[in-house]
Amino acid sequence: MRAFDLAPLYRSTVGFDRLFSMLDHGLEGAAPGYPPYNIERTGENAYRVSVAVAGFNEPELSVVAKEDTLTIRGEKSTKEEERRGEVLYQGIAARTFERVFQLADFVQVKGASLENGLLHVDLVREIPEAKKSRSIPINGKAGGPTVIETQKAA
């Protein structure tokens, strides 16, 4: 049973369906724990997602950005496992995984790198010029033009 009732928000807003469904999904249960990951803010409009992918090589990993989602998938090849000797203890998980991250508006993937068992995906929020705030002059009769500053889009 969840403690939050989002029904009043549904009644008084328009166009926020995706946000509310993400909140509903997030309140229902925790995300799966494999593989572990970090989300960092590296600048004002820059982010980095780091996923622990110990035991995976570059060809076994894929990073796909489509519309508003970032999907990181890892699939261990069976050929490599056949070449190794007998495994007496396997503490490093080598199972297939898929992590999906919802991206905010205007967030784009800039690149990915694999180092020391961590897959780093760099993201940046680039707001188009048409969406940025701008000053609007007001032509009044009394004292000439007045300028009102609008707030920056977040």
Side-chain angles (χ1 to χ4, degrees), residues 90-104:
Q90 184 167 353
I92 299 173
R95 60 182 181 252
T96 299
F97 70 88
E98 180 176 283
R99 275 267 184 211
V100 179
F101 299 91
Q102 296 295 318
L103 301 178

Side-chain angles (χ1 to χ4, degrees), residues 1 53 57 112 143:
M1 182 176 184
V53 291
N57 296 323

Side-chain angles (χ1 to χ4, degrees), residues 10-109:
Y10 282 111
R11 290 191 303 259
S12 62
T13 59
V14 177
F16 291 93
D17 302 338
R18 191 177 111 213
L19 174 67
F20 294 142
S21 68
M22 284 177 22
L23 285 172
D24 277 339
H25 179 65
L27 293 173
E28 288 174 3
Y34 180 78
Y37 65 94
N38 291 338
I39 300 175
E40 307 169 61
R41 182 178 213 154
T42 58
E44 185 177 335
N45 288 316
Y47 304 90
R48 175 177 263 191
V49 176
S50 299
V51 182
V53 291
F56 285 87
N57 296 323
E58 274 188 52
E60 299 167 333
L61 297 168
S62 71
V63 178
V64 177
K66 183 178 179 186
E67 294 175 7
D68 60 349
T69 61
L70 169 66
T71 304
I72 300 173
R73 185 175 295 121
E75 188 169 348
K76 215 47 186 154
S77 64
T78 56
K79 294 177 186 175
E80 184 179 316
E81 292 176 4
E82 292 171 0
R83 284 186 279 166
R84 290 188 300 177
E86 180 182 359
V87 177
L88 300 177
Y89 172 77
Q90 184 167 353
I92 299 173
R95 60 182 181 252
T96 299
F97 70 88
E98 180 176 283
R99 275 267 184 211
V100 179
F101 299 91
Q102 296 295 318
L103 301 178
D105 292 337
F106 312 118
V107 173
Q108 299 175 350
V109 177

